[in-house]
Amino acid sequence: DGMWSAAQFEEEIRSPRTAALGAWTVGDSGDEALVGMCFTSTVLDEASLTSLAVHPRLRRRGIGEALVCESMARAQAAGAARFLLEVRSGNEAALRLYGRCGLTVAGRRPRYYRDGEDALL
Ligand SMILES: CC(C)(COP(=O)(O)OP(=O)(O)OC[C@H]1O[C@@H](n2cnc3c(N)ncnc32)[C@H](O)[C@@H]1OP(=O)(O)O)[C@@H](O)C(=O)NCCC(=O)NCCS
């Protein structure tokens, strides 16, 4: 459900099942900043997107789509037969992005999130 603690990020990034992709900006003086990230976790032939976020000030520039498409391509190259994720039914931005990456809605998990919102699979 969206937010992970720092400890959860550390645990996830150390897992051998996890593939993490980042997007960085490079400033004039060469300073780098992480502005987007996408995590996937693979079990057998199933890859799951577990976290995706782009810095609020750098959205709508194709960073999210690039991260998801690249994650899907890498999962497929590594032998994954399916690419799964859960998304809040009201998260229009994410739903449209996933649709553009070729993902389709396969099911609904009613009241999946603590606040009662449904998840779309
Ligand atoms: C969802 C998120 C990762 C999208 O990142 P992004 O870099 O802005 O996405 P892109 O620029 O690659 O957008 C690709 C397409 O997705 C759709 N889209 C993205 N943001 C949208 C928005 N706010 N409203 C409607 N459509 C949107 C559009 O079709 C867009 O293409 P377009 O800009 O040519 O119209 C970003 O909004 C985010 O970090 N949200 C908060 C975290 C989150 O919801 N993560 C997903 C949890 S499952």
Side-chain angles (χ1 to χ4, degrees), residues 40-56:
T40 56
S41 178
T42 301
V43 177
L44 301 178
D45 66 348
E46 238 173 50
S48 304
L49 189 159
T50 54
S51 188
L52 168 71
V54 170
H55 191 292

Side-chain angles (χ1 to χ4, degrees), residues 52-54 59-65 86-87 91 93 96-98 100:
L52 168 71
V54 170
R59 289 181 186 166
R60 298 308 288 268
R61 295 170 192 217
I63 296 172
E65 191 173 333
E86 275 117 16
V87 56
N91 191 343
R96 287 180 59 173
L97 186 163
Y98 296 141
R100 279 172 57 139

Side-chain angles (χ1 to χ4, degrees), residues 16-31:
R17 290 201 290 254
T18 297
L21 283 184
W24 279 265
T25 54
V26 184
D28 292 336
S29 45
D31 47 317

Side-chain angles (χ1 to χ4, degrees), residues 75-88:
Q76 192 169 28
R82 296 204 288 166
F83 192 87
L84 304 172
L85 62 90
E86 275 117 16
V87 56
R88 284 178 177 269

